[in-house]
Amino acid sequence: MLWGILAAVISGVLMSVQGVFNTGLAKETGIWISAAFVQLTAFIVCMAAWFFTGTDSGFGELLAVDNKYRLLGGVIGAFITITVIKSVDQLGPAAGITTIVIAQTTVAYLIEVFGLFGTEKVPFTWRGVIGVALAVAGVFLLNRK
């Protein structure tokens, strides 16, 4: 569990820094070219890691995926890149990223409650709703000028 928490913290830090970097890049080059560059460099890093570690299966395994909607991660990733750039540009880093995290938390909770996309279904609790509501209240407090 400790490694999971550490990974989540590192992910949050990297997402925030990446959002600011991508927004700055988009201001200098344009949103589409910057998003394409981000996705291309991510592809290169993943291919290099796959080549050097040799720990994963080959691309042929993708053809055997039962739930084909799971292949849409890259498409979704492209839209994530573009929408993060727009939100950080329009709202600023703190408000943009905080709003993104709240949307993530809300949707993740709903995915678990309804057992969507093959996840294990968890019971609805008011504690979960209150947690999300407190996070939303935090965004309003953070953005209050």
Side-chain angles (χ1 to χ4, degrees), residues 2-57:
L2 180 60
W3 289 114
I5 292 171
L6 182 60
V9 169
I10 291 169
S11 177
V13 169
L14 292 175
M15 283 185 204
S16 295
V17 172
Q18 182 196 35
V20 173
F21 284 10
N22 292 353
T23 302
L25 183 63
K27 286 180 180 178
E28 292 187 48
T29 64
I31 193 166
W32 298 110
I33 194 68
S34 63
F37 178 77
V38 167
Q39 299 301 317
L40 175 64
T41 55
F43 174 75
I44 291 168
V45 169
C46 290
M47 291 302 296
W50 175 61
F51 178 77
F52 287 112
T53 62
T55 57
D56 287 343
S57 57

Side-chain angles (χ1 to χ4, degrees), residues 111-123:
I111 287 170
E112 284 188 335
V113 167
F114 292 107
L116 301 175
F117 311 118
T119 63
E120 184 177 331
K121 192 173 182 178
V122 300

